[in-house]
Amino acid sequence: MRVYILTIGNEILLGETLDTNMAEIARGLVEAGADVSGHLTIGDEVGAIARAVRDALAGADAVIVTGGLGPTPDDVTQEGIAEALSVALHVDEEIVARVRERFRRIGRTMPEINVRQAEVPDGAVVLPNPVGTAPGLRMESGRAILYVLPGVPSEMRAILEASVLPEIRARSQAPAPVIHLVRTAGIPESEIAERLAALGGVAGLSLAFLPDPSFGVDLRFVFRGTPEPERADALALARRSLGEAIYTECHGARSAVTLEVALGEALRARGATIALAESCTGGLIAKRVTDVAGSSDYFLGGFVTYANDAKIRDLGVDPALLAEHGAVSEPVARAMAEGARTRFGATYGLSVTGIAGPGGGTPEKPVGLVWLGLATPDGVQARRLQVPGDRRWVRARTAQLALDWLRREARRTP
Ligand code: AMP
Ligand code: MG
């Protein structure tokens, strides 16, 4: 089944809204066993929408349109579709009643402008929207199906999953591919590619490398028609080759957890706790650790110690170390980690001190130089990083590498 995706909205063409709907729809379609035959983004203009819809319908088994269904006059997707199919629009009283009811439940009266959202092309079947007011629509044109979904990502997703993907899955002749996601941290893409070179010979496997400059490399295994024993062998080879660089895996691609969740699981499994001492990351690591619900089980607290005085006062760093080695140095990173660990009474103390830039670098201590410290019950370790990129990337990558170091340490059997 060949499916074409049309995303509509001036805000996308202006670069203000990132077209995440396209990516999400495409992922869902691939998992449902369909081929995405193409994608186009167009502005909120009736004629352009009508032309794009007509072209898309001519070359695909199904077309998914998203965006431009709001109540305001700039949203004209319904008009464009009516023009493409040469049908009229009518007000769907059931939708009006439902929208009116949604407003009533939150104690408001529906503004009359919202009636616009209930204007649907003749012949359209309404797909219920469980999470918002704009309805989804399903139409047929020749042998192609046309789905129209709201642009608000949560509403798009709800209708896609409840009404669109089940039908696509049922109609796809090709068996749905088996998808497996493996997430790694602390290992470069090129090294992963070398270690997994042998997977090139696995029939039916396409392996996608999804690197994120600050969050590591995800590996998406898509097996089409590969028998189960060979799938298992391929994944076993990946596990052997990548070892502890893998922090999580999942079937499908939706239930993957983040590094901070994996870290939390490792800490909880050991009954361990952590405390932080951050300088150049300014609380970014604490933010990510506490993004995880239930992190109070293992996160005791942390200091953001930017000034030398704060490192001395809050972490007990010896002023002589700062004077002799400077704040960005191995001895200070070690002292910060140990200070956080003892002051909070945690199993682990993790510290970061570095030069995020753009200023502040010297030939001996260039921008991107970062020292990490990790205090454990067995002693204190330190690691030197030279992180590429501008200030934002230096901070983000440092946070990732620090969290990953702690995760690896916590996973190691005592
Ligand atoms: P609309 O249905 O065009 O009124 O869109 C409502 C809101 O949904 C927009 O303001 C955007 O924030 C968001 N949105 C629309 N299209 C997309 C898209 N393709 N990807 C992500 N967000 C979108
Ligand atoms: Mg819009």
Side-chain angles (χ1 to χ4, degrees), residues 7-9 11-12 17-22 44 66-72 74-75 77 134 149-153:
T7 52
I8 298 178
E11 68 275 22
I12 305 169
T17 296
L18 195 63
D19 191 352
T20 56
N21 285 353
M22 150 59 195
D44 296 294
T66 162
L69 296 186
T72 51
D74 59 324
D75 289 317
T77 297
L149 308 178
V152 179

Side-chain angles (χ1 to χ4, degrees), residues 196-217:
L196 299 185
L199 291 178
V202 178
L205 166 63
S206 61
L207 175 60
F209 288 72
L210 313 169
D212 181 294
S214 54
F215 292 106
V217 182

Side-chain angles (χ1 to χ4, degrees), residues 243-331:
E244 60 177 7
I246 299 175
Y247 64 84
T248 190
E249 295 182 34
C250 67
H251 279 299
R254 284 140 195 275
S255 53
V257 303
T258 58
L259 179 62
E260 44 273 32
V261 168
L263 167 65
E265 284 165 1
L267 290 166
R268 195 178 276 118
R270 294 190 74 135
T273 56
I274 58 167
L276 300 172
E278 297 186 65
S279 186
C280 64
T281 46
L284 196 51
I285 300 176
K287 187 263 177 202
R288 286 186 57 185
V289 168
T290 56
D291 275 341
V292 181
S295 49
S296 56
D297 288 351
Y298 47 80
F299 179 61
L300 302 186
F303 291 108
V304 177
T305 51
Y306 233 54
N308 283 355
D309 283 348
K311 294 180 178 72
I312 296 164
R313 185 189 62 229
D314 296 332
L315 299 167
V317 176
D318 182 352
L321 283 183
L322 286 158
E324 188 181 341
H325 304 281
V328 180
S329 63
E330 175 170 0

Side-chain angles (χ1 to χ4, degrees), residues 280-281 352 370 372 385 387 393-402:
C280 64
T281 46
V352 179
V370 177
L372 304 180
L385 308 175
V387 189
W393 292 121
V394 169
R395 284 154 50 94
R397 286 175 176 151
T398 298
Q400 175 77 359
L401 291 168

Side-chain angles (χ1 to χ4, degrees), residues 25-36 176-177 179 220 222 224:
I25 294 169
R27 278 198 299 270
L29 288 171
V30 171
E31 281 176 42
D35 289 321
V36 178
I179 297 178
R220 198 174 154 89
V222 180
R224 287 192 179 81

